[in-house]
Amino acid sequence: ALDLGSGEGRELAVALAAAAGQMITNLPANSFFSHAAVAAQRARDEGGPALAGQVLVYPTIDAEANTRSRVEYANGPVLKTVAAIGMWGAYLGDMAKAASPLASPARSRSLAGLAPALILTAECDPTCDEGEDYGRALQAAGVPARIHRLEGLVHAVSYMSRYVPRADEITQQVGVFLQSLKQPRTAPEVETVA
């Protein structure tokens, strides 16, 4: 548990990046892989715990997303669209499961009432648009959401901080977001930097 000291009984935040957001575990055949966005939805729908926030870093939100960034960055750099689709197939075992909101949280019937979100995307990444689309859908549902695009950066840049100093922007953005969760919420915050 992350003690955010919010005073609102919400002391947990879920945060995972990209494929790390899908827990690759030996799941029962009728289960889907976990995802930070799915964890937030399940916490809301299944009685808790109450989450203070959710942090999604270059998230893979929809297994079958048809976006401009999947086309524009189909050949990378770093992540290729065909590789991302192959990973979805490996996670799901059967792409027929892709339509389930347990696999593709953007397909949830409702996004209302979810914990505030920080969505960080990398410009040169096939998953960029689906992450930003999800952030805008959260905003439309009344969820306080910040969308921040890391211009000129690539998928998984957080693992490249030794060579790409700007990767620290991720840590900085997450820190600012987590600090904001300590403040009492008065009105939904909507911020898009993309």
Side-chain angles (χ1 to χ4, degrees), residues 95-192:
M95 285 301 287
K97 297 176 183 177
S100 169
L102 292 175
S104 297
R107 297 175 184 231
S108 177
R109 282 180 284 175
S110 173
L111 300 176
L114 290 172
L118 171 64
I119 295 98
L120 297 172
T121 62
E123 176 187 13
C124 305
D125 178 1
T127 70
C128 180
D129 291 340
E130 67 190 88
E132 292 175 8
D133 290 347
Y134 187 70
R136 285 187 289 276
L138 288 170
Q139 291 169 343
V143 175
R146 293 181 188 174
I147 304 164
H148 184 85
R149 179 185 297 170
L150 302 158
E151 296 291 338
L153 295 183
V154 298
H155 191 86
V157 71
S158 61
Y159 302 108
M160 303 172 199
S161 60
R162 182 174 182 179
Y163 305 103
V164 183
R166 283 193 51 220
D168 288 340
E169 289 178 37
I170 294 171
T171 304
Q172 293 166 1
Q173 288 291 326
V174 171
V176 167
F177 177 71
L178 292 176
Q179 286 298 318
S180 77
L181 296 177
K182 292 182 177 183
Q183 307 304 318
R185 289 195 301 260
T186 54
E189 175 183 345
V190 175
E191 176 185 336
T192 303

